Amino acid sequence: MLSLAKQVKRIALTNYLLMEPRADLHIHSTASDGMLTPTQVVEAAAQAGLAAVALTDHDTVAGIDEALAAGTRLGVEVVPAIEISSTHAERVEVHILGYFFDYKAPDLVDRLEFLRNARWERAKQIVEKLNAVGVPVEFDRVVEIARGGAIGRPHVARAICEVGAAGSIDSAFGHFLIEGCPAYVPRYKVTPFEAIDMIIATGGVAGCAHVAKLKRDELLVEMIKHGLRAIEVRHPDHSSVGRKFYTRFAKTRGLIATGGSDAHYFGSENRPGIGDVTVPYEIVSQLKQASHGA
Ligand SMILES: [Zn+2]
Ligand SMILES: [Zn+2]
């Protein structure tokens, strides 16, 4: 049994949590690799009692219109957003979040389309080069092997083995696919700085996702100089130590401390669902104010 004082405290806390409007600012839908349609995302947000959600699909704004329509219907504010995959110094993956940018700006839409197609185009070029040196790999077969996933060199390597031009995946890479080999094609990479530019150029606020997972404070400082205005401090993969450290980091540098569930699913025991990680609605107001559109 809880003591009366503890019970009162608990009720007060519950009331406080219920009253304070909350926002989940990191959610994926079927527009990228999530399992819920943009409409289902907003429905789940309404069920969770959220005041606002941001649809942050990977490298695409395709779900935003649908989410906005559902938001108007269900009384949930939908923040136009994105999570852009970028690469720093060849191998560090950095996810840049964008909020309140003009998601219909033609330059941005074209650039995102280019980024999404880059993997596909690269695989096509590799196949052409293989064909040119007499390896009869077919692009359609590589697509089949990739089974709708993000197509890449491992799929091509398997196709090379299938046609008997290499005895193993390693030898397919070693003979054809790595730098210096006849079918090598460099991967197109966008840097975190370019991703930040894309968001700023369209009037939005650029943030860095799951910073405690990234643990690159020097890079963060560089990105702040470049116009980064927010960091994601609340994320399911952050420990409380990491969250506290970066909350302070944000405070001392005047950054907006965002957060969200990074939900890709309806939510289950070990997978975060929509509304499982939230921030006060005040953060949405700060993002809005910091965007040029405000
Ligand atoms: Zn991410
Ligand atoms: Zn994400």
Side-chain angles (χ1 to χ4, degrees):
M1 272 298 273
L2 287 173
S3 72
L4 185 64
K6 271 193 180 154
Q7 280 185 46
V8 170
K9 227 180 188 177
R10 183 165 286 189
I11 290 165
L13 179 68
T14 310
N15 282 344
Y16 171 73
L17 288 174
L18 284 175
M19 276 159 55
E20 188 194 34
R22 309 284 300 178
D24 183 340
L25 298 178
H26 191 156
I27 300 172
H28 297 276
S29 77
T30 47
S32 62
D33 59 350
M35 300 289 284
L36 284 76
T37 64
T39 301
Q40 288 172 323
V41 165
V42 180
E43 282 169 357
Q47 254 171 27
L50 297 178
V53 279
L55 200 67
T56 53
D57 275 311
H58 299 287
D59 304 321
T60 181
V61 291
I64 295 177
D65 276 331
E66 184 186 321
L68 282 168
T72 307
R73 192 160 42 82
L74 297 164
V76 176
E77 181 174 347
V78 173
V79 177
I82 195 165
E83 182 174 26
I84 301 175
S85 306
S86 73
T87 311
H88 175 66
E90 295 300 307
R91 55 193 70 233
V92 182
E93 201 171 320
V94 184
H95 290 178
I96 297 296
L97 294 164
Y99 295 105
F100 287 115
F101 54 93
D102 175 8
Y103 70 97
K104 293 200 167 167
D107 281 359
L108 178 90
V109 173
D110 286 354
R111 184 93 176 118
L112 291 173
E113 168 104 20
F114 173 80
L115 291 179
R116 278 197 309 282
N117 289 340
R119 271 184 163 274
W120 192 265
E121 286 305 320
R122 182 194 190 204
K124 256 189 193 161
Q125 283 173 23
I126 293 173
V127 169
E128 277 165 21
K129 285 193 166 190
L130 284 169
N131 294 164
V133 294
V135 180
V137 163
E138 284 176 23
F139 183 65
D140 287 351
R141 180 60 195 142
V142 178
V143 173
E144 257 172 45
I145 293 171
R147 285 202 205 137
I151 198 165
R153 286 188 300 177
H155 309 120
V156 182
R158 274 183 51 195
I160 293 172
C161 293
E162 279 183 4
V163 298
S168 69
I169 300 289
D170 278 350
S171 100
F173 266 88
H175 284 98
F176 299 105
L177 300 174
I178 59 174
E179 201 165 350
C181 292
Y184 172 72
V185 178
R187 186 153 79 92
Y188 182 81
K189 291 174 185 143
V190 60
T191 71
F193 304 102
E194 286 173 276
I196 292 167
D197 285 342
M198 285 165 69
I199 302 300
I200 295 176
T202 47
V205 181
C208 186
H210 33 75
V211 283
K213 253 170 88 184
L214 182 67
K215 287 193 195 141
R216 293 269 173 165
D217 295 350
E218 276 173 30
L219 175 62
L220 271 185
V221 170
E222 285 304 306
M223 292 197 289
I224 293 163
K225 281 187 203 150
H226 202 84
L228 192 87
R229 298 284 307 275
I231 56 172
E232 187 173 57
V233 302
R234 296 181 70 93
H235 185 277
D237 294 343
H238 285 186
S239 67
S240 66
V241 173
R243 193 179 67 218
K244 277 181 198 151
F245 177 85
Y246 284 101
T247 301
R248 222 175 306 125
F249 187 99
K251 211 169 182 183
T252 52
R253 287 167 179 81
L255 301 170
I256 302 170
T258 68
S261 63
D262 205 352
H264 286 71
Y265 311 89
F266 277 105
S268 62
E269 279 176 21
N270 42 18
R271 293 282 194 176
I274 289 156
D276 283 354
V277 178
T278 59
V279 288
Y281 180 80
E282 164 62 18
I283 300 298
V284 177
S285 306
Q286 288 178 18
L287 290 169
K288 214 180 281 179
Q289 255 173 25
S291 71
H292 297 198

